Amino acid sequence: MSLPAAEVAADFRDALQDLRLNSRPEISNLTLIAKENTEYAEAISTELENHIRSTRPEWKLPALYVLDSIVKNVGTPYTVYIGRNLYRTFMDAYLVMAQDTRKAMEGLLRTWKMPVPESMDPRPVFPADVTRDIENALTKIRAAVQQQVQRPQHALPPRPPTNVAWRDTSTPPQNLPRYAAPNDPRARPSFPPTTPQYGPPLHTATPPMQYQQPQQQAQPMSSIDLADLKSEVTQLISTTQTMFAHNHADLALRTKLQALLSLKQILDTQTLPPQQLEAVRQQIRALAPPPAPSTPVYPPQHTLPTHFQPNLPSNFPPVTAPPNSAPPNVAQLLAGFRPPMQQTPQPASTPNPPAFNLVDLLKRVSSPAQSSSIPAPAPFQLPFQGFPPPNSTPMPIPQAAAPAPSSTPTASLATLLAQFNKPAGAPPMSQPMPMQSTPVPQFPPQPNTAPPTLGSAEWLLKALGSVPGATPAISTPIASQQMARQSSAPFNVMDQIELTTVSMKKPRLHLISRLYEAKPNICATCGRRFESTSEGKEKKARHMDWHFKVKDPDAAKRGVHRSWYMPEKEWIEYKEVDETSPNHTSNDSNNSTSSGAKPKKQAKDRYVSVPQDVALQQAPCPICQEKFDTVWSVEANDFVWMDALSVGGKVYHATCFEEYSKGAGIAMPGTPDSVLGKRRAEDAASVNGEGKKVRAF
Amino acid sequence: MISLPGLNLASQPIEPLNVPTSTATRTQDLSANTEYRFEVSFSRTLTVKLQSGTAEFFGTELAPATTYTFQGTKGAIFTWHGCKLEIGGEVESDYVAEETPMMSCANLHFALENLRDKSVSSGSVEMGPRVLVVGPENSGKTSLIKTMTSYAVKSGRQPMVVNLDPRQGMLSVPGSFSAAAYSSIVDIEEGWGSSPISGPSPIPVKMPLVYHYGLKDPEEGKAFKPLVTRMALAVTSRLEEDNASKQAGFIIDSSGAISQGKNGVYENIEHIVSEFSVNVLITLGSERLYSDLARKFSNQVRDPSESVSVIRLEKSGGCVDRSEEYMKALRHAQIREYFFGKGDETLAPSSQMADFGDLNLFKLVQESDNAEYRPGDYDASSSPIYEKITPSAALQNKLLAITTASPNERQEVIRDSSIRGYIYVADVDEAKKKVKLLSPQPGQTPGNAMVLGSWPEDIPGLVS
Ligand SMILES: [Zn+2]
Ligand SMILES: [Zn+2]
């Protein structure tokens, strides 16, 4: 059972990689793997996130459905793990999606704000703060798109205007995204620093986005070149993955891998200006062993064979794009990226320099605008040295100096890519996100026990106020007594039979007497046994009476038919009636002497058989307009209405009619106090107080 | 091993030719702890009468003065003390077995009794044992459960039995799920006994709660898990109100299909265990199943009070593979019994005509493998559950489940509603838009939502 996490994760990954269509069986299968391996939920969640991030845009949606299915059908701990990075997972995918797929993703998001269908758990699939961040980002994207509607070559089709004012979205520094610190003592040691480093707050006021004027001095790289670059990246990813598979603890590798995956995604889905592509290429080459066939570097005069023209902001402000503005085109941000150090020189005392990489960059594209009113502490105020490293991996010595500031996008990208070579350095210092602060080691797999909501039968939920074995029920000693063992011999220690396979095989023939000799008095008709006590004899007598009664040939003459089954609610409230218990012997009024407390022949004791006629079955009491209580009567061997009286073809509540008849001065119809006329149920309730009442409501 | 219905070449033909007709009876002596195993076809009868000693049929004791008649039965009469049986009629095969699993059954029973005693002494605060029996087809699950139930009743308990195997009905027709408390003896001739009829019954009737599943296998339908959940809710609720049942606990019968598992994963077993808070899991036969489940449940970090005891019992040598032909005959017998009764207790169902417009029919949507996942679906399955259909000739010979839901309810409500019973479509006149129905009860056809499943299959000739 204890497959190593890596093995489980690999299985899961293999299955994921086959998923290219929205196939319910495949998604079910993946969900099942996840469900069966909740102890490896973290590894599986990471696989899933990586896959969504790295797979082709058209395959992302099926993978997101896997995510959806897992969080809805398995729930925790997946909701915790996946929730931590959900913003990124979702937004990264969203940004590269085709428009119709975005709609599907928005549909998913809607369901995540609601409880799991059929679940009794009223909480939404993901915590509200997680989905709200995404929601906010989507709103802003729409707004941004709205602003750019006029731009014909925009990556996003226009969307309806939203009410969100663009100016309102500016991000004060304290609202910069906060990332979990790997060395946060509350976080899991192995928590992946997917967001290893983040720079200081850069700006105190965010200028409005300026996306205008595509900058197009440079010629794009040729597509052939691009393909080569992509394949290099892919190869590098594969190499890094292999390394990472052998060393999961290596945070730097992980960071690098993620950055590469992100890069690949950008290459796959965005069009970058040639300078950046060239920079990327050089970085990649530096990272990877040179490929055997050397690819000629095309002169910049080459043009893209497509009509596409990347949009490059020319007047991009010398600050980073507001993280919350989430423009639809990553290339724009890439192009506009500036290292923050340029703008905001930080004190030299900064022990850990801000390091940037694609992961950070992507965050800028897709980070949520934290609406939290709690200001995040300035990261640099926390001394790095005060924190222990998150795991045994030796932390790299923080660089003394920030990367050289660069004035060109290419250079900044180079800086960024240079981070690939470095291990993930200083941990981020900012506050962990709420989800991340949840300690999750050994999260007990929460069994999928939440019963579904029950549609129109909410009453049932109420009835379920307890789980087996855990609920202090109202104990009824009399009932317990009655159900106590009838064989007098108490179990001795030897009889405490262990519930094990081995124990079941041991011969214990001496116990069999409890099924036979303990009750020596057998009914010759049906084989039921009774004790030889006087109580046993009484029971047997009543039992024999019952045999006699049900053999009544007259009763058999009327057309006997199968009755409808009992409705659920009545069944829940129904109590079995044993034909040997005193309360439903065939009556003759006085045989149950102990029932003296009960006044006889009360109106409420009267009943009629439930009418065969459906219209009559539905008819309420003509006086009070309420329906009748249907109960099963053992004696009548039929469903009956209690407290009921048939007068002139209509059925009334006997008590209603009694009241009416008193007022009207008419006599109550006579009660056929026959064999079936006795209220066994009432007797039961009064005889032993055990509540063997058969009432349905 | 899993038996493959219809591929069981070793089994004897259902209807052997040239069966010698005999009215003579013979005497069969059984020594202690042995059993008389027999197979009798649906067209023949076997009579058994206990002459001396004691004997039991799946735990229910044979009365000394009664002749029992078996038809379409594969069963065994066991004796703890030795007995002499008078046997008449014709069997397909019979023999006496020396080795039986009865000691294990008894041990299990007394172990469960310990748990029931604990519940009693806790003042019904604790619940009695919650038992689930799993195993491949024809491994003896139902026989074991019958024996456990009979022993519990014999010990003065009132156990609840829950049937989640759509291949065989309990107190209802195949394709249904049902639950009932057993306060009186389990009938010998009628299987689980009889649900209520409008007249007296020589054996106390049982009161089942019935849901319609309408498919052959749990693995087949998306309704399985929700129905299990619903059933668990109802049973748990009932037990909270009913101390006698709470102390006795319940035993769940399951379909062999859920014991096959996928890659060692038994999703539906886990679902049942979780929904019913099962604490005793009995596996029959298959060692693989046992080891998979034992590992699964022993590994779970649980509150000790919630631990699941996984036990393996040997499959009885008396378990015979039942051919698909036999199973089909058994299903039809159950359906016939629902409408017409059995043996001497004949019932009078009602034949009635209904307009097409009177029937609110919902047909289970069969899932296909290339179905798409849709967000928000329960269990990665896609809605809708049903399609609304108008009657057509295709309805003929089918069973319709009469739900307790209004046709205007949401489909989930219809799915989760218990049923009042079944009606049978005897004939469809498409020209006149009339349907001839066989209803267990006289009176108007209910306007409730009716559900048409694919299981059980058509039953031609129920009304001739
Ligand atoms: Zn009897
Ligand atoms: Zn009234």
Side-chain angles (χ1 to χ4, degrees), chain B residues 196-266:
Chain B
I197 55 176
S198 65
S201 165
I203 296 288
V205 294
K206 312 295 187 282
M207 302 299 262
L209 171 67
V210 184
Y211 299 93
H212 180 60
Y213 178 62
L215 295 170
K216 187 178 179 183
D217 279 325
E219 313 288 332
E220 237 183 304
K222 60 197 164 202
F224 182 77
K225 284 190 188 173
L227 277 183
V228 167
T229 301
R230 181 70 175 205
M231 176 73 93
L233 269 170
V235 167
T236 311
S237 304
R238 159 80 176 258
L239 265 49
E240 286 306 325
E241 307 225 332
D242 182 351
N243 280 337
S245 285
K246 186 173 182 181
Q247 292 158 1
F250 51 79
I251 311 174
I252 305 168
D253 199 354
S254 70
S255 158
I258 69 170
S259 293
Q260 289 176 17
K262 284 177 196 152
N263 308 321
V265 173
Y266 304 87

Side-chain angles (χ1 to χ4, degrees), chain A residues 523 525-528 543 547:
Chain A
C523 166
T525 305
C526 72
R528 180 164 182 170
H543 175 80
H547 271 304

